[in-house]
Amino acid sequence: MASRVAVDRMVVTGHRIDVPLDWNEPSGPTLSVHAREVVAAEHAGDASRPAIVWFQGGPGHEVAFPDHRGSWLEQLLTRYRVLLLDQRGTGMSTPLEARSLPVSDPVALGDYLRNFRQDSIVRDADRFRTTLYGKDTDWYIFGQSFGGFCSLTYLSTLPEHVRGVIITGGFAPVLHETEEICTRLFNHVATRNAEYYARFPGDAARVRRIVDRLESGNEVDGHGQRLSARRFLMLGVKLGLQHGAAELHGIIERADNDLEQLHVLSGVVHAHVAGTMSPATNPIYTVLHEAAYSNGTATRWAAERARLADPRYAVDAQPVPYFTGEAVFPWMLDEVRELQPLRDVANVLAEHDGWPALYDIPRLRANKVPVVGTVYWDDEYVERTMALETVSLLGNCRPWITNEYEHGAYRVDPARVAGRLFSMLDDLTARG
């Protein structure tokens, strides 16, 4: 039964459907998948208003309850009925939690979790389309970051009822496998590190002191969990944010001052490091992060192999080690207490060979659905040369290539970004 509430000039209606755990076995076990339809209050009675499904970044990140009408959501509400999909395993869609896993055996759990990639997510979304709007109804897709990966999988498998697609920072590297993707990303993150140390030259000595202290001491947080240097260096994920370099500089200044005056890192610094580990309660992100890139081959902890192969990321690198970017490393599942229940299944999935293809390249080349989107020149999370390859092969696609923004531009400057993309989509649609 649908639940409906009024929130800040919006009508928010929750919907729940059952879908197959494995779409290749439709009569087998099922999952519950949840989504919220959000409509501007002034358009609540307009059944002709087109729907757009929102594919969240991730993998495995849930969509927050729409508690106010503003920012990126407001832009979509000017044109659409917005379906906020809780991707399977997230939010209110049969959620996964490291402390309460559905299967204890790691091999069986791996078999279960292999059904939580893009190919299953888009089928869940299309089932919502037919259930809520009718099997012959067309709709739009918006994919942010990993949501763009989902959008390209949707175009590869179920494009018939898609009227248009908007992708922000999510043109997946469809022509490459996980190992090459991770190697190129680490090369790009190294460039971001060099730019960071050039902008904040005093931080080289600070980071060197912090790393040496973490390597030689026993720095623990308020819960008694030790902080290693390599986990501290994962703060480099902030270099992909709009003002992330300045934020990182502030953390480094604070950490260096803490060690000088307190001889330990403050709770504030530990909280920043813990924030990079927020996927601790997100099994999908932890165990399927690399698998979200795989079109067939085993990932075998590709990011860790890329890190170890590049001496700039070694903890003892001179004059200063480089920060790592967004990645999941196998040692995290030993060092972070909350992740330890996922260690065995993560290793099982890292060795899994024979992932089904996520993208149909000939179909993407022949695509007729209007697609617009952003490619960020300095994107830390989706490397631009591979994103541009995808843009070039995708039929009926018009990109906005920009160095004005980082990866999260749609949340930073939603009115301008949405306005430009909507205009591009309208123009591409009009051209037929």
Side-chain angles (χ1 to χ4, degrees):
M1 180 178 296
S3 62
R4 179 171 297 181
V5 295
V7 181
D8 191 22
R9 298 169 292 120
M10 300 180 294
V11 177
V12 181
T13 307
H15 300 274
R16 187 179 298 278
I17 61 174
D18 290 332
V19 297
L21 168 66
D22 183 348
W23 276 97
N24 294 314
E25 297 183 8
S27 62
T30 62
L31 294 172
S32 171
V33 177
H34 179 267
R36 295 183 179 95
E37 185 190 55
V38 186
V39 184
E42 64 270 24
H43 299 297
D46 183 3
S48 66
R49 201 165 185 80
I52 189 168
V53 60
W54 169 269
F55 285 126
Q56 176 80 336
H61 293 170
E62 65 183 78
V63 184
F65 180 84
D67 56 7
H68 71 285
R69 178 172 166 173
S71 187
W72 59 271
L73 181 56
E74 170 66 10
Q75 307 309 312
L76 292 180
L77 290 173
T78 64
R79 294 164 59 104
Y80 305 108
R81 314 176 73 87
V82 184
L83 190 74
L84 301 177
L85 175 69
D86 283 336
Q87 296 170 18
R88 54 170 54 199
T90 74
M92 294 175 63
S93 293
T94 310
L96 289 164
E97 163 64 49
R99 297 174 298 164
S100 182
L101 295 168
V103 183
S104 58
D105 176 72
V107 174
L109 182 58
D111 292 340
Y112 181 87
L113 292 175
R114 286 205 303 272
N115 296 296
F116 286 75
R117 296 196 310 160
Q118 300 96 295
D119 44 356
S120 298
I121 292 169
V122 302
R123 290 188 176 276
D124 297 344
D126 202 65
R127 175 64 60 84
F128 259 115
R129 179 189 64 80
T130 62
T131 301
L132 297 184
Y133 308 115
K135 66 178 183 179
D136 296 323
T137 302
D138 298 340
W139 69 352
Y140 292 86
I141 294 172
F142 195 119
Q144 160 62 22
S145 190
F146 171 74
F149 292 30
C150 294
S151 304
L152 293 171
T153 300
Y154 207 132
L155 288 176
S156 294
T157 55
L158 298 163
E160 293 83 4
H161 293 285
V162 180
R163 294 174 63 178
V165 178
I166 301 171
I167 294 174
T168 50
F171 283 102
V174 300
L175 296 176
H176 302 276
E177 273 294 343
T178 312
E179 183 167 0
E180 182 180 0
I181 293 166
C182 288
T183 298
R184 289 209 205 178
L185 281 171
F186 269 75
N187 284 333
H188 181 59
V189 174
T191 300
R192 302 306 299 269
N193 271 268
E195 293 169 350
Y196 173 80
Y197 285 121
R199 181 178 175 185
F200 301 105
D203 281 4
R206 294 186 182 101
V207 171
R208 181 77 271 163
R209 284 193 296 269
I210 295 166
V211 166
D212 289 346
R213 183 75 67 90
L214 293 177
E215 283 293 281
S216 62
N218 187 34
E219 173 68 31
V220 297
D221 64 17
H223 303 286
Q225 195 159 222
R226 182 179 179 272
L227 175 60
S228 67
R230 60 188 177 183
R231 189 147 62 92
F232 180 84
L233 290 169
M234 291 181 67
L235 285 169
V237 71
K238 294 184 180 296
L239 293 175
L241 305 177
Q242 192 68 23
H243 304 291
E247 182 183 358
L248 179 59
H249 170 66
I251 298 169
I252 298 305
E253 274 199 331
R254 176 66 185 269
D256 191 50
N257 184 73
D258 287 346
L259 292 179
E260 181 179 345
Q261 298 197 48
L262 299 174
H263 309 295
V264 295
L265 294 179
S266 65
V268 171
V269 173
H270 277 288
H272 280 295
V273 177
T276 69
M277 306 303 298
S278 59
T281 55
N282 182 344
I284 295 173
Y285 184 95
T286 302
V287 304
L288 293 177
H289 187 271
E290 292 188 358
Y293 291 111
S294 178
N295 274 308
T297 63
T299 60
R300 298 190 175 91
W301 296 112
E304 175 70 346
R305 289 185 284 116
R307 184 183 74 90
L308 293 174
D310 192 331
R312 294 172 293 186
Y313 292 99
V315 171
D316 59 357
Q318 296 296 331
V320 62
Y322 276 4
F323 291 94
T324 51
E326 183 186 40
V328 175
F329 303 108
W331 45 263
M332 291 165 50
L333 294 113
D334 293 312
E335 291 190 12
V336 182
R337 187 180 301 126
E338 295 89 343
L339 293 182
Q340 289 172 2
L342 301 171
R343 176 176 50 208
D344 291 342
V345 69
N347 286 320
V348 167
L349 289 170
E351 295 300 323
H352 178 69
D353 213 347
W355 292 98
L358 291 165
Y359 310 108
D360 184 329
I361 302 304
R363 197 168 197 176
L364 292 177
R365 292 187 190 277
N367 172 64
K368 301 298 183 184
V369 178
V371 181
V372 299
T374 55
V375 175
Y376 306 116
W377 194 253
D378 292 318
D379 198 326
E380 182 178 318
Y381 314 121
V382 181
E383 197 268 343
R384 70 167 179 264
T385 61
M386 291 184 287
L388 290 173
E389 286 177 347
T390 300
V391 166
S392 296
L393 72 85
L394 183 60
N396 207 24
C397 176
R398 180 176 298 175
W400 173 19
I401 304 168
T402 176
N403 64 357
E404 297 177 74
Y405 299 103
E406 297 287 354
H407 186 76
Y410 188 52
R411 297 181 187 273
V412 173
D413 194 359
R416 179 168 182 252
V417 173
R420 179 155 180 171
L421 292 175
F422 291 161
S423 176
M424 290 166 58
L425 181 62
D426 291 344
D427 183 62
L428 197 58
T429 301
R431 291 173 182 266

